[in-house]
Amino acid sequence: MFKKITVLTLIASLLVSVCIGSVGFTEAESINDGSDIAYEGQELVEALGIINSNVDSLNNVVTREMFAVYMARMLKIEEKETSSVRYFKDLEYDAFSVNAINSLVERGIISVPDNHIFRPADYITPQEATKMIICVLGYGDLAEADGGFPSGYAKFASKLKISGYLGSSETFTVQKAGELIYNALCTAVYEAQSFGSNSISFDRSEDSLLKA
């Protein structure tokens, strides 16, 4: 269970010194003095309303629709119970995740295959989660140019240092989702500067998503 402290205290302390490299929540849970970076990152993800520890245990395995909801919360997309739009045949109009998934489709973060199947209840793989969060951060086109799925996205996750201790064959739990989300919130922004026929030039900003 995450410690409860105020959002303002969390954000103020994190902006000063916490976002320094990727973290894993496992090590941090035995340290309760508030000084550990990973433990505070765990608190931040909940304080921002992205993961609710009262509903999602750290050991729960994350489904494809639940991770889409986490991504929508990162983007502050309003959660609605119904939608008049249906991009996927296996996602009902009144599914709890329908507005999150539809909004991510409309932002180009989730693609719609020819069969219009999303498999919302399937467990998401680390590769799929990495692809989605790279797209949320705006680097999807660059990852596609650097090899596409899954290698291009994995390369960008490594460049941005957001993959933490996430292994490609590991079960993707809520704990791992929290690590990936926290590291993404703290990563420096990469801004594309120019596109050549065989290369893409981009520079690293000093700002993270928390400072934006």
Side-chain angles (χ1 to χ4, degrees), residues 102-184:
N102 286 352
S103 296
L104 295 179
V105 168
E106 289 159 5
R107 287 165 170 77
I109 294 165
I110 292 177
S111 58
V112 181
D114 292 339
N115 63 7
H116 290 265
I117 297 296
F118 183 71
R119 299 179 289 112
D122 284 6
Y123 294 142
I124 195 167
T125 67
Q127 295 95 332
E128 291 170 338
T130 298
K131 179 181 186 294
M132 197 178 295
I133 205 163
I134 289 295
C135 289
V136 165
L137 294 173
Y139 311 132
D141 288 342
L142 300 179
E144 285 293 329
D146 200 18
F149 181 81
S151 62
Y153 291 89
K155 289 176 186 176
F156 256 82
S158 178
K159 289 177 183 178
L160 298 171
K161 299 182 179 179
I162 65 172
S163 53
Y165 301 101
L166 181 62
S168 60
S169 62
E170 292 182 16
T171 300
F172 194 73
T173 62
V174 172
Q175 176 181 315
K176 292 296 182 183
E179 294 174 15
L180 188 62
I181 291 167
Y182 171 72
N183 291 335

Side-chain angles (χ1 to χ4, degrees), residues 38-52:
Y39 193 79
E40 291 185 359
Q42 183 175 311
E43 294 172 328
L44 177 65
V45 172
E46 180 171 0
L48 292 176
I50 299 171
I51 292 177
N52 183 351

Side-chain angles (χ1 to χ4, degrees), residues 73-116:
R73 289 172 181 170
M74 280 184 68
L75 294 172
K76 303 186 185 303
I77 294 171
E78 181 181 356
E79 294 188 41
K80 299 178 182 178
E81 296 181 355
T82 61
S83 174
S84 60
V85 179
R86 194 178 185 190
Y87 292 109
F88 298 102
K89 295 187 292 187
D90 56 348
L91 191 67
E92 298 299 328
Y93 291 108
D94 59 351
F96 81 95
S97 60
V98 66
N99 191 60
I101 293 172
N102 286 352
S103 296
L104 295 179
V105 168
E106 289 159 5
R107 287 165 170 77
I109 294 165
I110 292 177
S111 58
V112 181
D114 292 339
N115 63 7
H116 290 265

